[in-house]
Amino acid sequence: MNQDVCPITPVQPPELFAPLFLSGKPTDEKVVAFLAEQRFPVAEPGGVTFAWTGDADRVELIRWIHAGIDREPFQRIPGTKIWVLLLDVPDGGRFEYKLAIHRRGHEEWMLDPLNRERAGDPFGENSVCRTWGYERPAWTRPQGAPKGEIVALRVASTVFAETREEFLYRPARPAGPSGYPVVVIHDGHDFNTYADLTVSLDNLIEAGDIPPVTAVLIQTHKRIEEYTRGRRHARYVVDELMPAISEETTVSPIPSDRILLGASLGAVASLSTAFRYPGVFGGLVLKSGSFIFDDHKLTARPHPVFHRVARLVRAIHRAPDLARTRAFVSTGELEGLASENIALANFLRQRGVDVLLKTAWDGHHWHNWRDQLRDGLMWVLREQEAA
């Protein structure tokens, strides 16, 4: 037997597929028509049903969760080419996946052809499963709000010995009496491309959820090196980027109106910058940070980037406290470093930071970070009480 072929025990048709068999074995044409009428995966309270049809030795659903690849096998309905998977899941969540189709010793990964919901990232697209009760936030979709504009911002950097082209989001609404709050968004171009950033900002400003803000979308082609070796990056943000923003628009001088936002390694860079320059920024939005607070976890993460992050975290432990800072920390419960982000929230609280922690049944994905944007910005931009 081919070692790559795993015998599958055929299953009786789930109730969802019972109409197909009312007149005996269904024809291929009837199967195609039936599947086209459904919206797979089919979500019900506590579970989802996936389907695929075709010739295969094995079919699996692949998820990137808990710092690894999770594989869930489909089972074939007897006498048909229909493969099904019934998966128990919590309600109100989402995850991204692909299908692995095994034929004659080869494995092919593909998007789910029966699922129109997709999500992109710099590595490509995934299919999206939304469990029972999940709703994409309405404020992430175009709703006719006045559109802010995106303009180029050229920053002559002596720190990096180059001229960097960042992008500035200017809201359609005028600034308040103190000027615009500034949100520095790490990997901002990706955030806009994959997480509906400017649409969301337009809607949140128009609804009054947040004040009109200026956002600077920064991007580096060497993010792993730059974000984990935070000294030069922090100098660039504070000494070069912030003055360049002030030359282009009216910026609030109040520290609580200066926000650092980042996801994954962008969260690491945000936290590092705040601690290296205490008092400059009064708000942190840290999404799914690639932090290492427990050095024992380095044995399972041998990549040098995590060792650099662990050293950075140790340095932050020795740094002075952050005065009058509010932080929003979020994590997906399916992420491999969810516990580290919870540890981060506890650490910041111990250092006197006002912290809001949110978790979601989701993974290390841009749509997870998108869905948490409103809560994060509302938390850090709300008026702080006088000391």
Side-chain angles (χ1 to χ4, degrees):
M1 177 183 291
N2 189 320
Q3 301 246 334
D4 190 54
V5 176
C6 176
I8 296 293
T9 302
V11 296
Q12 293 304 310
E15 183 177 348
L16 173 67
F17 295 86
L20 266 176
F21 297 86
L22 292 178
S23 303
K25 179 181 175 181
T27 64
D28 290 345
E29 292 77 10
K30 188 175 180 181
V31 168
V32 170
F34 173 82
L35 295 178
E37 292 173 354
Q38 309 298 321
R39 293 197 63 177
F40 285 98
V42 177
E44 300 175 293
V48 288
T49 300
F50 298 84
W52 184 82
T53 182
D55 293 312
D57 299 319
R58 185 166 81 249
V59 178
E60 296 172 313
L61 181 141
I62 295 177
R63 298 183 291 175
W64 296 269
I65 63 175
H66 305 312
I69 295 179
D70 175 73
R71 293 175 179 265
E72 296 285 350
F74 284 58
Q75 294 182 310
R76 185 173 56 81
I77 296 177
T80 75
K81 297 179 181 179
I82 304 172
W83 297 75
V84 296
L85 168 63
L86 281 65
L87 192 63
D88 293 333
V89 291
D91 296 339
R94 64 178 293 283
F95 62 85
E96 299 181 16
Y97 69 96
K98 281 189 170 72
L99 301 182
I101 311 301
H102 298 257
R103 298 186 184 98
R104 296 176 291 279
H106 298 284
E107 180 183 78
E108 176 189 3
W109 289 14
M110 65 168 60
L111 296 169
D112 186 343
L114 298 179
N115 184 359
R116 292 174 291 177
E117 298 296 334
R118 307 283 169 81
D121 61 35
F123 304 101
E125 277 194 318
N126 294 318
S127 295
V128 176
C129 174
R130 297 171 174 176
T131 71
W132 182 261
Y134 170 87
E135 294 284 346
R136 174 178 171 176
W139 49 263
T140 68
R141 302 180 186 272
Q143 297 193 337
K147 293 183 178 181
E149 65 172 344
I150 298 287
V151 298
L153 177 68
R154 295 176 67 84
V155 183
S157 173
T158 56
V159 172
F160 291 107
E162 63 183 10
T163 297
R164 292 193 161 186
E165 185 173 78
E166 315 290 12
F167 289 91
L168 200 64
Y169 167 85
R170 289 173 168 165
R173 300 298 186 189
S178 299
Y180 287 113
V182 175
V183 184
V184 178
I185 302 179
H186 291 86
D187 306 308
H189 178 72
D190 289 343
F191 214 117
N192 199 36
T193 301
Y194 305 114
D196 306 288
L197 174 65
T198 54
V199 170
S200 299
L201 291 177
D202 292 339
N203 289 332
L204 295 176
I205 291 170
E206 180 64 12
D209 292 335
I210 63 173
V213 300
T214 288
V216 58
L217 284 57
I218 62 175
Q219 196 87 20
T220 174
H221 298 297
K222 299 179 180 179
R223 66 188 299 273
I224 292 179
E225 179 72 16
E226 182 174 325
Y227 288 177
T228 59
R229 300 183 188 277
R231 189 181 303 278
R232 295 176 71 197
H233 176 78
R235 282 173 49 209
Y236 167 71
V237 169
V238 173
D239 295 338
E240 298 177 337
L241 179 67
M242 294 300 289
I245 299 170
S246 297
E247 292 178 3
E248 294 296 324
T249 190
T250 305
V251 173
S252 171
I254 304 170
S256 59
D257 284 341
R258 298 174 182 173
I259 311 300
L260 292 166
L261 184 153
S264 192
L265 287 177
V268 173
S270 297
L271 187 67
S272 170
T273 300
F275 269 97
R276 291 183 189 279
Y277 289 86
V280 175
F281 299 94
L284 297 169
V285 180
L286 309 173
K287 301 169 178 287
S288 302
S290 300
F291 295 102
I292 295 290
F293 274 77
D294 181 357
D295 283 356
H296 292 95
K297 293 187 177 181
L298 291 173
T299 57
R301 293 179 173 270
H303 195 287
V305 66
F306 288 104
H307 287 266
R308 291 201 295 269
V309 170
R311 289 196 296 271
L312 190 150
V313 168
R314 288 194 290 271
I316 288 173
H317 274 83
R318 300 190 296 269
D321 288 351
L322 298 177
R324 291 183 57 78
T325 300
R326 179 172 279 126
F328 176 83
V329 179
S330 66
T331 186
E333 295 167 23
L334 298 177
E335 297 187 48
L337 289 173
S339 62
E340 296 299 278
N341 281 273
I342 295 171
L344 167 67
N346 292 331
F347 164 76
L348 291 175
R349 289 190 183 105
Q350 294 167 5
R351 303 297 291 268
V353 176
D354 195 4
V355 178
L356 175 63
L357 171 67
K358 290 266 186 166
T359 68
W361 200 78
D362 205 330
H364 198 79
H365 300 302
W366 283 101
H367 282 189
N368 179 23
W369 305 330
R370 175 200 65 191
D371 290 358
Q372 301 289 340
L373 181 66
R374 178 179 181 270
D375 286 348
L377 290 180
M378 287 183 66
W379 174 254
V380 295
L381 288 169
R382 79 178 190 185
E383 186 177 351
Q384 298 192 33
E385 298 81 3

